[in-house]
Amino acid sequence: MCGIVGLYLKNPDLQPRLGELFAPMLTEMSDRGPDSAGFAIYRNPVEGGRTKFTLASNSPDEEWKALDADLEKALNCDVQVQVISDHAVLITDADADLVHDWLAENRPDIRIVGSGKSIEIFKQTGLPKDVVERFDLRHAAGSHAIGHTRMATESAVTTEGSHPFATGLDLCLVHNGSLSNHNRLRRELERKGMVFQTENDTEVAAGFLTWKLREGANLRQAVAAGIEELDGFYTFCIGTNDGFAVVRDPIACKHAVMAETDDWVAMATEYRAIANLPGADSARIWEPGPGEIFVWGGGA
Amino acid sequence: MGRGRLTMPELDVREIGVRGVNKALMALDDSTNDRNWVVRSPQGQHSIACGLTAPIDVVIKGHVGFYCAGMNQQANVTIEGHAGVGVGENMMSGRVHVTGNASESAGATAHGGLLVIEGDASSRCGISMKGVDIVVGGSVGHMSAFMAQSGHLVVCGDAGDALGDSIYEAVLFVRGKVESLGADCIEKEMRPEHLAKLAELLQAAGIEAAPSEFRRYGSARKLYNFDIDNVGAY
């Protein structure tokens, strides 16, 4: 059992309030997932040629020290690091693959939790309200956000196993359910050059969609291909740089509800997470049907 | 009991929580003079107005979460909004009425009473129903009336895949298209007594539809007694 939530702002005037609107959605799902929580927020896109990484470390005091200077020196590039609790957002004009390789070699304890132009990902064990507090979600501005509260049922409660999962290109994904063919798919995707950080089934779904986007699919096409290839129970909420998508498996095993007004689109495992958004009472509210794909933005 | 009130008693979920609301409603018995209750600010919370036993009217102003009015006995609960998973599950008697749509498993395992959903119901509507009557103004999702044992399911719109899979003795009436019938569920002849029952149910639900436009579905009775020739269907 887990809770997932997503909020996509259609009205740009609301962007300064994204965190304030989204944080209560996440904490309302605490009963469904008290073990860990995480969220991705899309904000402050970097200019062309630059990449934004979100990094996490179990020993942040040591790892963030001189990270910018060391990386600048090694790759002869410009680096800015902003530390947020035990995560850090790193922006650089260096080649993204070279940064990957340098981090793996020189700071092996640092995990890359997300990368792209605008995505930032924060996830941690503990109650959702504490995670919200730690990363100051309430004051975050942005265009859209997706989040997850986890009740661990089959693997350890760790930050690495927390959602969202991101595999590059600003794509990230939260998942309520479980996949049954992720090991085979992971091997196939690894042969195509995708790199995975965990044994988690959800990371494979994120990797599959990233691979599809890389191959030239738009978000809707990538999700449609996912329905064909991913076997299992799922409701997914997916974010990309400029897109937001929701899909349920073809027998709709896992709960999901959506609501839309002129100002926003929201999805959640349960309606109570949406109930306090402005205008929720008069929003168009519906349950996504089995295998139905919903996309906003993302070249759909 | 004391004299009746001039205004309806109101309970606010935001102020006293779901437990506060349910405690107030469950404390009532058949002799209460407070027959009409309003519940405000449901905010999609779960288990509102569950386990009621008194013959009271309860109107919930807004969308509710899971299991609303579950286990109901005698009470007449109206949800002015949409309902989450399992509305009216295991109700025994009384009436539960949703003015909007209902999520999955509406009326699951319910033994009696009337469940009315003016809009659509999602998948598994009436799953394992055991005597309840369910009238849906719109359509129902896949696997509706799965293992339905008795009672009636009336669908004024369409039905999704595998309607009535492994059905026992429940009676299904559908006006629109049936995506597919589940194992051992077949179309049956609509006889005068079925038309009369359907008219009675539609009238009780307050939904206007001509009984002659419906088709009846029920059990072929091939599956629930084990037969080696059917082994492939189990």
Side-chain angles (χ1 to χ4, degrees), chain B residues 92-127:
Chain B
M92 307 300 287
S93 61
R95 176 186 173 115
V96 176
H97 189 126
V98 183
T99 65
N101 301 328
S103 183
E104 299 145 24
S105 304
T109 73
H111 288 246
L114 176 66
L115 170 62
V116 180
I117 296 155
E118 288 187 31
D120 297 327
S122 180
S123 59
R124 307 170 186 96
C125 179
I127 183 170

Side-chain angles (χ1 to χ4, degrees), chain A residues 28 32 248 250-256 269-273 275-276 280-287 290, chain B residues 14 42-46 62-67 82-85 101-104 121-124 142-143:
Chain A
E28 187 66 42
R32 298 192 67 93
R248 292 171 91 188
I251 50 170
C253 265
K254 294 291 177 180
H255 309 308
T269 308
E270 300 176 14
Y271 173 73
R272 61 185 164 132
N276 290 308
D281 284 347
S282 51
R284 187 170 76 89
I285 296 168
W286 75 99
E287 191 175 287
Chain B
R14 214 185 282 273
Q43 303 164 93
Q45 293 295 313
H46 301 335
H63 310 312
V64 297
F66 295 8
Y67 316 127
H82 302 309
V85 172
N101 301 328
S103 183
E104 299 145 24
S122 180
S123 59
R124 307 170 186 96
H142 60 281
M143 298 298 284

Side-chain angles (χ1 to χ4, degrees), chain B residues 96-178:
Chain B
V96 176
H97 189 126
V98 183
T99 65
N101 301 328
S103 183
E104 299 145 24
S105 304
T109 73
H111 288 246
L114 176 66
L115 170 62
V116 180
I117 296 155
E118 288 187 31
D120 297 327
S122 180
S123 59
R124 307 170 186 96
C125 179
I127 183 170
S128 196
M129 55 193 277
K130 295 175 172 67
V132 68
D133 292 324
I134 304 176
V135 181
V136 181
S139 299
V140 296
H142 60 281
M143 298 298 284
S144 287
F146 177 60
M147 294 188 84
Q149 288 147 55
S150 69
H152 301 83
L153 172 64
V154 179
V155 182
C156 298
D158 302 330
D161 270 321
L163 176 72
D165 193 285
S166 307
I167 190 172
Y168 292 83
E169 291 304 305
V171 179
L172 316 179
F173 298 110
V174 182
R175 182 161 64 166
K177 196 176 96 197
V178 174

Side-chain angles (χ1 to χ4, degrees), chain A residues 13-272:
Chain A
D13 294 344
L14 282 176
Q15 290 191 6
R17 295 179 58 202
L18 178 67
E20 173 200 333
L21 298 172
F22 181 71
M25 295 180 71
L26 196 65
T27 52
E28 187 66 42
M29 290 293 94
S30 297
D31 298 347
R32 298 192 67 93
D35 292 331
S36 69
F39 58 90
I41 192 153
Y42 291 84
R43 60 178 171 186
N44 308 330
V46 296
E47 290 158 22
R50 289 177 174 261
T51 308
K52 188 199 277 192
F53 291 90
T54 312
L55 309 175
S57 167
N58 293 334
S59 47
D61 292 346
E62 293 154 45
E63 298 289 357
W64 308 143
K65 210 187 299 170
L67 173 64
D68 47 355
D70 289 356
L71 188 58
E72 277 179 344
K73 206 159 108 189
L75 298 182
N76 190 25
C77 60
D78 179 43
V79 177
Q80 296 153 14
V81 175
Q82 186 196 359
V83 175
I84 304 171
S85 183
D86 58 357
H87 284 43
V89 175
L90 183 149
I91 296 169
T92 177
D93 58 356
D95 179 82
D97 289 338
L98 291 179
V99 176
H100 252 276
D101 295 347
W102 185 87
L103 285 170
E105 197 162 313
N106 297 282
R107 305 285 172 110
D109 293 335
I110 289 181
R111 300 185 303 279
I112 299 175
V113 289
S115 66
K117 295 291 179 197
S118 60
I119 192 171
E120 295 177 26
I121 292 184
F122 304 94
K123 50 188 184 179
Q124 189 51 272
T125 53
L127 283 172
K129 73 175 170 59
D130 297 333
V131 176
V132 160
E133 204 63 42
R134 181 188 295 231
F135 299 112
D136 198 24
L137 174 57
R138 279 174 213 282
H139 296 103
S143 53
H144 51 302
I146 67 175
H148 185 271
T149 62
R150 179 169 186 235
M151 185 180 288
T153 50
E154 45 197 298
S155 57
V157 178
T158 60
T159 308
E160 293 89 326
S162 309
H163 299 214
F165 280 99
T167 41
L169 288 178
D170 277 307
L171 180 133
C172 87
L173 179 152
V174 288
H175 175 198
N176 180 21
S178 58
L179 301 178
S180 46
N181 65 340
H182 58 284
N183 285 328
R184 179 181 61 75
L185 262 182
R186 187 186 296 107
R187 283 195 297 275
E188 287 176 16
L189 290 166
E190 280 171 345
R191 279 200 288 277
K192 295 178 194 328
M194 299 295 300
V195 178
F196 294 95
Q197 299 189 6
T198 70
E199 294 294 304
N200 188 285
D201 55 343
T202 304
E203 190 184 13
V204 176
F208 179 83
L209 296 178
T210 302
W211 172 67
K212 276 290 176 191
L213 293 178
R214 247 177 224 172
E215 296 284 295
N218 66 26
L219 182 53
R220 179 179 291 277
Q221 291 164 339
V223 174
I227 294 177
E228 295 301 316
E229 293 297 328
L230 299 168
D231 186 17
F233 306 137
Y234 52 83
T235 295
F236 290 129
C237 183
I238 302 150
T240 65
N241 187 29
D242 59 348
F244 179 77
V246 175
V247 66
R248 292 171 91 188
D249 68 64
I251 50 170
C253 265
K254 294 291 177 180
H255 309 308
V257 61
M258 303 198 65
E260 183 174 18
T261 68
D262 290 343
D263 290 333
W264 47 259
V265 176
M267 82 77 58
T269 308
E270 300 176 14
Y271 173 73
R272 61 185 164 132

